């Protein structure tokens, strides 16, 4: 049976200008001050397990001030690459077994989590990342 998937139309994040005195600028400046004293520990996740790896330590610095360290990460090693390849190969059959609609729902949810909304203040309904978000209408057999 042929079916057509209804993919939701794309939408862009609002473009903010942050003029002096605006509420958006006040929120941004407050967040920058809050994060200025923190150092993020940027771990890797391989096969569903997050943590530090054995590679050499690298400081992640602010692009405008290289003396200001934002966080720390570890370079990958050959062992990390092999583990990531093995984890991807192990996950591939389950991913391939998902329908297009289920894979699309996962990618839409990932996009929401990566957006400025962070999945918390989404304007979409709560069911927006469910497989029903990209539904395939059932085809009816042609009348004879």
């Amino acid at each position: 049976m042929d079916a057509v998937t209804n993919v939701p139309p794309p939408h862009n994040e609002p473009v903010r200008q942050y003029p002096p005195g605006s509420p958006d600028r006040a929120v941004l400046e407050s967040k920058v001050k809050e994060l200025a004293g923190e150092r993020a520990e940027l771990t890797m996740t391989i096969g569903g397990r997050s943590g530090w790896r054995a590679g050499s330590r690298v400081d992640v610095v602010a692009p405008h001030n290289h003396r200001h360290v934002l966080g720390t990460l570890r370079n990958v090693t050959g062992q990390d690459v092999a583990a990531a390849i093995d984890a991807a190969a192990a996950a591939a059959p389950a991913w391939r077994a998902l329908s297009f609609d289920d894979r699309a729902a996962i990618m839409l949810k990932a996009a929401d989590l990566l957006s400025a909304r962070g999945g918390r203040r989404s304007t979409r309904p709560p069911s927006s990342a469910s497989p029903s978000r990209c539904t395939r209408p059932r085809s009816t057999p042609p009348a004879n």
Side-chain angles (χ1 to χ4, degrees):
M1 215 186 286
D2 289 332
V4 177
T5 297
N6 296 318
V7 178
H11 66 280
N12 293 324
E13 297 281 325
V15 177
R16 293 180 174 31
Q17 299 300 317
Y18 302 103
S22 71
D24 286 338
R25 186 175 187 126
V27 169
L28 178 63
E29 288 175 344
S30 171
K31 192 65 173 178
V32 168
K33 285 178 186 173
E34 175 189 332
L35 295 175
E38 296 181 16
R39 280 193 179 188
E41 292 184 355
L42 307 167
T43 60
M44 267 185 260
T45 302
I46 298 175
R49 290 188 309 261
S50 293
W52 287 103
R53 302 296 181 208
S56 60
R57 185 182 139 168
V58 176
D59 286 338
V60 179
V61 298
H64 64 286
N65 179 358
H66 293 183
R67 288 185 294 249
H68 180 76
V69 178
L70 300 169
T72 304
L73 59 81
R74 299 264 180 187
N75 275 327
V76 298
T77 63
Q79 192 174 16
D80 296 328
V81 172
I85 292 169
D86 291 345
W95 179 255
R96 280 193 299 266
L98 292 174
S99 70
F100 170 83
D101 294 326
D102 289 342
R103 289 191 304 253
I106 291 168
M107 298 307 281
L108 288 168
K109 179 63 176 178
D112 277 348
L113 293 172
L114 290 171
S115 75
R117 291 182 306 276
R120 293 180 299 276
R121 296 184 310 272
S122 178
T123 57
R124 294 180 182 167
S127 62
S128 65
S130 69
S132 63
R133 173 110 158 73
C134 300
T135 58
R136 289 184 186 167
R138 299 247 183 243
S139 298
T140 54
N144 290 344

